[in-house]
Every structure is written in structure tokens, then in C-alpha cells.
Amino acid sequence: MRVSINKSSVKGEVFAPPSKSYTHRAITLAALSEEAVIHRPLLSADTLATIRASEMFGASVKQEEENLIIRGFNGKPTVPDNVIDAANSGTTLRLMTAIAGLTDGITVLTGDSSLRTRPNGPLLEVLNRLGAKACSTRGNERAPIVVKGGLEGKEVSIDGSISSQFISALLIACPLAENNTTVSIIGKLKSRPYVDVTIEMLELAGVKIHTDENKGMKFIIPGKQKYNLKEYTIPGDFSSASYLLAAAAMTEGSEVTVKNLFPSKQGDKLIIETLKQMGADITWDREAGIVTVRGGRKLKAITFDAGATPDLVPTITVLAAVAEGTSRIENAEHVRYKETDRLRALAIELPKMGVKLKEEKDSLTITGGQLKGAAVHGWDDHRIVMALSLAGMVAGNTTIDTTESVSISYPDFFKDMRNLGAKIGEISEE
Ligand SMILES: O=C(O)C1=C[C@@H](OP(=O)(O)O)[C@@H](O)[C@H](O)C1
Ligand SMILES: C=C(OP(=O)(O)O)C(=O)O
């Protein structure tokens, strides 16, 4: 689907959609438990992939109004009777690959053409060292992946620089192994807040993980544990909210109030501090969970370390494109391992709108200026599409293709933006 976007301002109130990361974990942990109710889950293409995978391991998932009722397989996944298709979702693929290590048989996992380009080497290697057998059918660390169960606990180390999802996956599967497991992180751990979200959810499910005092780079996971998640309400998603907040900050005459944004372990709450740092008029009432942004202020350039918050990079890059001065987004190599190589996608699309941008291995340098309308490509990547939409609202006269990809994390993105007054039309394709 292609959309046309004209110069817009945005005004009004909107609820932040439920968190994708918390929804994936709540479904997975409920599936590993006996029975749990999840209130207000995100139902998007990615979380539906996690529901389908959980069902294939033996869970039953029922939707009742705004809730999911999940009858789990109580720590013992059955051997799936078909290939697990994680579709476009890295989180689903990585979490389910580790859970496949707990079955008595063989599981095959795959995904769409984007997911089949994403690396899984460190996770496969560690699963093998832990007693399971895990390999890529093409021998290139990419899906399709085949896993033979047999996960036992042991001391292992893993590279943390590619994806935190490998560590989250081990933290979720290893408590069900026979023996204790120790996972030490080698090098830097990127996207650390997502591991903290995993540990928070594990605690709620009654599962114990000990983190060493020294920089939290070693996790001790007692074996033979039991999952006991009962009930959980999904909080609002700061990554999805970043587009709403940035849209208001970038456009004159805007005033947007985003609800359901309470303090959270989500690293992407950093969008609020970053907008403040850039000079936006933004307030956060933490108790009420309400963030208000008024547009119209000239934004200033920043230096942004993307190590902990890769999903904010498209939003911050577009903010930098309208800010005064030259911004740098650093420590961002892992942003290349997402649905697309997002540094590359931004470096190709934004110059079409007149943005001066330099791409290096792990950084982007962006000089802010006047945006001009253009026909840009969304790369079938939800975050690229949503970020380019904001640029379109400033530039006007812009079209974006592959916009159906917003269904991955924020299915109501265009609806919410239109309700706030954004001038977004659909272009029918021949
Ligand atoms: O665990 C999670 O929920 C996620 C972890 C991050 O990935 P990496 O750890 O691969 O950076 C993030 O980019 C992704 O959108 C969601
Ligand atoms: C990278 C993302 O998700 P995943 O890794 O689950 O595909 C994302 O939502 O931007």
C-alpha cells in the first residue's frame, strides 16, 4: 500500500499502543505456565506469530474482548506438527528457537524473506553447547533453523553485540533445564533494557535469575524451575509512542497528549529525555502516565548513543533531519540487523527529501535543514515507514510505499495519525 502525506500538524489525545516486547514475553511465559490471562495485549503481526508458535508447542490461546486467555504447556513443549513460521518477527524466532531446545524431538523454524537474512549464530552455538542440537539449514546462521531438543544446564558465554534477544531466549528456556546454567556476556551487551524487561517478566512468573553484581554481565539461572504466570496487563509502548511524540515536536501548531505511558523498564522511554534535550516542549506526568508535546520550537542537534535503544534510531534520525545543526547517532551497528539494514535504509531515503546524511559502519551524521517532498521507499519495514511518515508531515507532497508493514508493531498507526489531523491519504495501486 502507498500513502500520500501532506504538510500536517497534529492535535489531540491518543493512547499509546500496548508494548510489543512485553506482549511477546507475556504470551511466551503464559505458554510455559499452566494458565494465565493477559490484559490489553498488542495484537499485531509480530505478536500473532508468537501466539501461533506457542500454540504449536501445545498452548491454547483464546481471545476474549481485550484479553488473551492462555492455557499453557506447563514447562514441557510438545514437538510441533509443522514448521514454525515466525513471519517477520526476530523476537519470535529467537525466543522459540530456545524453547525448541526443551522438546523431545525436532523443530523447524523459519520466517519471511527479511527474517531469513537476520543472524542467529551466537544463539545456535550456545544451544549446541547446552546439549541441544541447533543449526541453520543453509549453514549461514540464518533461518530456516532446525533444533533437536536436549537442553541441559552448563556454563556458557555468548556474544552480546548482535542481539539481546539471544540472551532473553536463554533466560527464558534455561530455567527449565535439568541443571543450572551460567550465561556470561562477552563484549558489549547491546539493547540491554530488553534483557531487563525479560528478567522483570520472569520474576512475575516466579522464575529466579541471579545477575552478578559486576556490571550485570553474568546470569546464573537455576535449573528445574516452574513457570507460574497468572495475570498481566501490558503497558504502553514507548517505541510506538516515539512517532506520536516526535510528530508533535516537529510540526508547528501541534499539541499531542499520549496516555498509557507509565515509568517502565523499556529503554525507549529515552525518547522523552531526548526530545527535551533537543529543545522540544514536552512534559511527562509519570503518575498519570501522560506525556504532552507542543510543537513549534526549533529543535537542536544532538549526539545520540543508540546502544541500548536501537528501535529509536529511525525516529531520532528524522528529528535530527529538521533540527538546527549536525547530529550524530553513534554505537548503532546493531541497527543494521533488523527487519532491514536501517542505517542503510535511512541513508538512502532521507537524502531523497533533501537531507544531508553520512552513513558509517556504526553511525549516522545528519545535518538538519529544510525537507522537500519526495516519493520514498518504506523498505517493507514498519519503523522506516513510520519515521518517513513524520518527515512527510513536515515536507508535504510525499508518498511512501510498503506502508502495510506498520501492522508489525503499530497496526493503527495511520488511523491514529489521521485522528490527530495528519493529512495522510491512500493511493490505490494498479
Ligand atoms: O527483545 C525484544 O523485545 C527486542 C529487542 C531489540 O532487538 P535486539 O536485541 O536484537 O537489538 C529490539 O530492537 C526489538 O525490536 C525488540
Ligand atoms: C527489530 C524489531 O523487532 P524484531 O527484532 O522482533 O523483529 C523491531 O520491532 O523494530
Side-chain angles (χ1 to χ4, degrees):
M1 188 178 76
R2 218 147 60 90
V3 301
S4 63
I5 306 193
N6 277 313
K7 277 193 192 181
S8 312
S9 54
V10 277
K11 271 199 169 132
E13 290 186 359
V14 56
F15 266 88
S19 157
K20 174 161 83 78
S21 292
Y22 275 96
T23 302
H24 277 304
R25 286 156 178 78
I27 295 165
T28 306
L29 272 46
L32 289 162
S33 305
E34 283 178 27
E35 186 161 339
V37 183
I38 301 168
H39 303 286
R40 265 201 265 132
L42 173 74
L43 295 176
S44 72
D46 271 15
T47 59
L48 291 178
T50 286
I51 291 178
R52 281 196 308 273
S54 300
E55 287 172 335
M56 292 190 75
F57 282 126
S60 90
V61 182
K62 242 185 9 203
Q63 192 187 337
E64 273 180 16
E65 291 166 9
E66 284 207 313
N67 306 321
L68 289 178
I69 321 281
I70 302 188
R71 180 154 309 153
F73 44 78
N74 194 13
K76 194 66 217 156
T78 51
V79 180
D81 61 9
N82 201 347
V83 171
I84 290 183
D85 183 0
N88 192 243
S89 173
T91 312
T92 309
L93 179 70
R94 276 74 178 256
L95 301 190
M96 298 303 159
T97 293
I99 288 174
L102 298 168
T103 71
D104 286 336
I106 294 175
T107 305
V108 183
L109 305 102
T110 192
D112 69 8
S113 56
S114 151
L115 194 61
R116 283 183 276 115
T117 66
R118 296 174 67 182
N120 303 290
L123 178 61
L124 301 183
E125 196 189 312
V126 168
L127 288 174
N128 282 309
R129 274 192 274 134
L130 288 172
K133 298 240 173 325
C135 68
S136 146
T137 58
R138 293 177 287 165
N140 64 356
E141 307 182 349
R142 272 71 177 156
I145 290 170
V146 181
V147 182
K148 183 168 190 291
L151 200 71
E152 297 161 4
K154 220 174 258 171
E155 265 200 61
V156 289
S157 48
I158 185 162
D159 178 0
S161 67
I162 296 172
S163 171
S164 71
Q165 292 171 358
F166 306 153
I167 291 91
S168 286
L170 295 171
L171 292 176
I172 290 172
C174 292
L176 292 162
E178 270 302 298
N179 307 310
N180 301 348
T181 304
T182 303
V183 179
S184 303
I185 311 296
I186 319 172
K188 284 210 177 123
L189 173 54
K190 297 287 172 71
S191 307
R192 164 103 212 182
Y194 294 96
V195 172
D196 297 333
V197 168
T198 302
I199 293 174
E200 180 193 353
M201 291 298 296
L202 287 170
E203 272 167 13
L204 285 173
V207 170
K208 299 215 162 17
I209 306 281
H210 308 290
T211 307
D212 75 331
E213 305 289 307
N214 178 23
K215 294 192 201 144
M217 294 295 271
K218 190 180 199 180
F219 303 97
I220 299 145
I221 312 167
K224 286 205 196 83
Q225 296 195 59
K226 186 174 161 56
Y227 273 84
N228 193 20
L229 188 71
K230 290 278 185 223
E231 196 168 12
Y232 187 70
T233 304
I234 305 294
D237 193 308
F238 282 88
S239 330
S240 299
S242 77
Y243 307 101
L244 301 164
L245 303 174
M250 287 165 70
T251 50
E252 253 175 78
S254 292
E255 178 166 351
V256 168
T257 296
V258 185
K259 297 181 170 174
N260 196 26
L261 290 177
F262 293 93
S264 167
K265 293 229 181 302
Q266 291 171 71
D268 286 5
K269 62 181 178 294
L270 188 62
I271 186 62
I272 295 173
E273 215 33 63
T274 307
L275 279 167
K276 225 178 251 170
Q277 212 187 323
M278 295 183 88
D281 180 355
I282 180 165
T283 54
W284 185 13
D285 180 340
R286 290 172 169 75
E287 254 125 71
I290 293 177
V291 183
T292 302
V293 185
R294 285 173 203 88
R297 286 206 193 154
K298 187 74 206 159
L299 300 178
K300 298 188 291 266
I302 47 153
T303 299
F304 183 79
D305 183 323
T309 56
D311 293 359
L312 287 183
V313 167
T315 314
I316 308 267
T317 305
V318 166
L319 282 164
V322 298
E324 214 155 50
T326 298
S327 294
R328 261 181 76 75
I329 296 180
E330 302 176 336
N331 195 14
E333 193 178 350
H334 56 316
V335 180
R336 294 189 183 279
Y337 311 139
K338 306 296 178 191
E339 284 79 331
T340 50
D341 174 343
R342 288 182 176 153
L343 299 189
R344 169 51 51 93
L346 292 163
I348 290 181
E349 299 313 315
L350 286 172
K352 294 180 188 166
M353 301 184 79
V355 179
K356 272 214 268 171
L357 195 153
K358 185 163 149 229
E359 175 197 1
E360 281 165 296
K361 191 166 170 249
D362 73 342
S363 70
L364 292 178
T365 305
I366 309 118
T367 304
Q370 199 79 30
L371 296 185
K372 63 174 203 292
V376 288
H377 176 37
W379 291 59
D380 275 305
D381 181 335
H382 52 135
R383 299 203 192 281
I384 297 299
V385 166
M386 291 190 278
L388 290 174
S389 300
L390 309 187
M393 286 160 59
V394 174
N397 205 15
T398 293
T399 63
I400 311 175
D401 64 7
T402 68
T403 55
E404 59 283 354
S405 58
V406 300
S407 67
I408 294 297
S409 62
Y410 191 168
D412 285 339
F413 173 74
F414 288 114
K415 186 171 143 220
D416 284 352
M417 280 297 187
R418 282 190 193 108
N419 284 343
L420 292 172
K423 295 183 185 133
I424 303 177
E426 263 177 45
I427 302 171
S428 58
E429 317 237 30
E430 271 101 66

